[in-house]
Amino acid sequence: MTTETVRENPPSTIIAAFFGFLVSTVSAIAGGLLILNSRDEIAAALRRANPAMAQDQLDRLTLLGQVIPVAIAAVVALVYLWLAFKLKAGRNWARVTLTVFTLLQAASLLTTEPSWAGYVSCGVAVVATVLSYLSPSSRFIAAVRRAG
């Protein structure tokens, strides 16, 4: 295989893994956006933690409690998407990094109270990770490395 052939023709397992990571990212973003509908719950939790808090301070902290997780989710989503494209290009380091991220995502399901989107995102990421290690995927990544 020439370098161009290798890079232009990833196997179906890599393509499926790529789209799996895209779906996982979109569902994670959906889950992250659910927090925007949680204003009342966040405010109530903050009020319980500090009943004497002034209303303007409560409002600012509630907004931060919504914005910070969404901003973090956006950054993580961008990194995840970048890694998915690198996987599609046959980069083993991207496959390994996505595997680590998927393991961390699965571990977070055990330590948090995830939404349905969190479960969907993790499940799809696990399937995509498995696909990225199947024989055709590994052969493709090895061929890209040799061509490279």
Side-chain angles (χ1 to χ4, degrees):
M1 286 186 164
T2 67
T3 302
E4 285 182 27
T5 304
V6 168
R7 291 178 195 242
E8 291 177 11
N9 297 314
S12 60
T13 53
I14 287 287
I15 299 298
F18 169 75
F19 281 110
F21 285 120
L22 293 183
V23 168
S24 176
T25 302
V26 169
S27 61
I29 290 169
L33 292 177
L34 290 175
I35 200 159
L36 295 177
N37 292 328
S38 302
R39 185 186 196 311
D40 293 339
E41 291 87 357
I42 294 169
L46 290 168
R47 179 63 71 199
R48 281 191 303 275
N50 187 353
M53 187 183 309
Q55 186 62 42
D56 63 327
Q57 186 180 16
L58 177 67
D59 291 341
R60 282 193 306 271
L61 288 175
T62 300
L63 181 61
L64 280 176
Q66 290 178 288
V67 171
I68 289 173
V70 170
I72 291 170
V75 170
V76 170
L78 289 173
V79 170
Y80 215 64
L81 290 174
W82 175 70
L83 289 168
F85 278 97
K86 292 299 182 181
L87 171 67
K88 186 178 174 204
R91 303 291 181 235
N92 189 54
W93 59 265
R95 176 172 65 170
V96 171
T97 305
L98 285 164
T99 301
V100 170
F101 282 2
T102 300
L103 290 171
L104 291 172
Q105 186 178 11
S108 78
L109 293 178
L110 302 174
T111 60
T112 62
E113 295 180 26
S115 66
W116 60 268
Y119 287 111
V120 170
S121 177
C122 187
V124 173
V126 167
V127 170
T129 300
V130 169
L131 287 168
S132 75
Y133 282 94
L134 294 178
S135 293
S137 298
S138 293
R139 283 193 303 270
F140 171 71
I141 288 172
V144 168
R145 187 180 304 143
R146 281 192 305 275

